[in-house]
Amino acid sequence: MTELTPDQQIAFEAAAFRRLVAHLRERSDVQNIDLMNLAGFCRNCLSNWYRDAANEAGVPLDKEQSREIVYGMHYEEWRTLNQREASSEQKAAFEISRPKE
């Protein structure tokens, strides 16, 4: 395996993150509940992780700001444009797979 410098690793991780965010923005047809049911995370989780990283680094970032970074627009605007009502099947699957606290 090729040894990466810490700077290279950070740059490659950042590039992968940007590509994931771009992909999720392009695939607005994929609902967050589908992501949760299949992968155990969604756009909101990603924005929470981003906010947590910023706050841990001493950079104040609130929930709405981090969501706008991930969604590419205000969260409520994205919901209005893209979110559909979850089916009873999606809701049942979520109850089975939902994160346990």
Side-chain angles (χ1 to χ4, degrees), residues 63-81:
K63 184 176 178 178
E64 292 307 315
Q65 290 171 312
S66 64
R67 282 184 172 183
E68 193 165 328
I69 289 166
V70 170
Y71 285 92
M73 62 182 72
H74 193 277
Y75 177 62
E76 290 304 320
E77 180 182 357
W78 188 91
R79 286 184 60 188
T80 299
L81 292 171

Side-chain angles (χ1 to χ4, degrees), residues 75-92:
Y75 177 62
E76 290 304 320
E77 180 182 357
W78 188 91
R79 286 184 60 188
T80 299
L81 292 171
N82 300 295
Q83 188 166 313
R84 298 182 309 273
E85 178 67 29
S87 69
S88 55
E89 293 83 10
Q90 289 170 313
K91 291 175 185 178

Side-chain angles (χ1 to χ4, degrees), residues 17 20-21 23-25 27-52 63 66-71 75 78-79 83 90 94 97-99:
F17 173 80
L20 172 61
V21 168
H23 181 76
L24 290 173
R25 287 179 184 175
R27 291 301 312 267
S28 59
D29 60 308
V30 178
Q31 299 294 294
N32 280 336
I33 195 165
D34 295 324
L35 290 169
M36 286 297 296
N37 289 342
L38 293 172
F41 82 99
C42 68
R43 293 168 182 89
N44 291 333
C45 298
L46 193 58
S47 70
N48 290 340
W49 300 336
Y50 191 99
R51 184 185 73 232
D52 291 346
K63 184 176 178 178
S66 64
R67 282 184 172 183
E68 193 165 328
I69 289 166
V70 170
Y71 285 92
Y75 177 62
W78 188 91
R79 286 184 60 188
Q83 188 166 313
Q90 289 170 313
F94 180 75
S97 67
R98 78 179 310 145

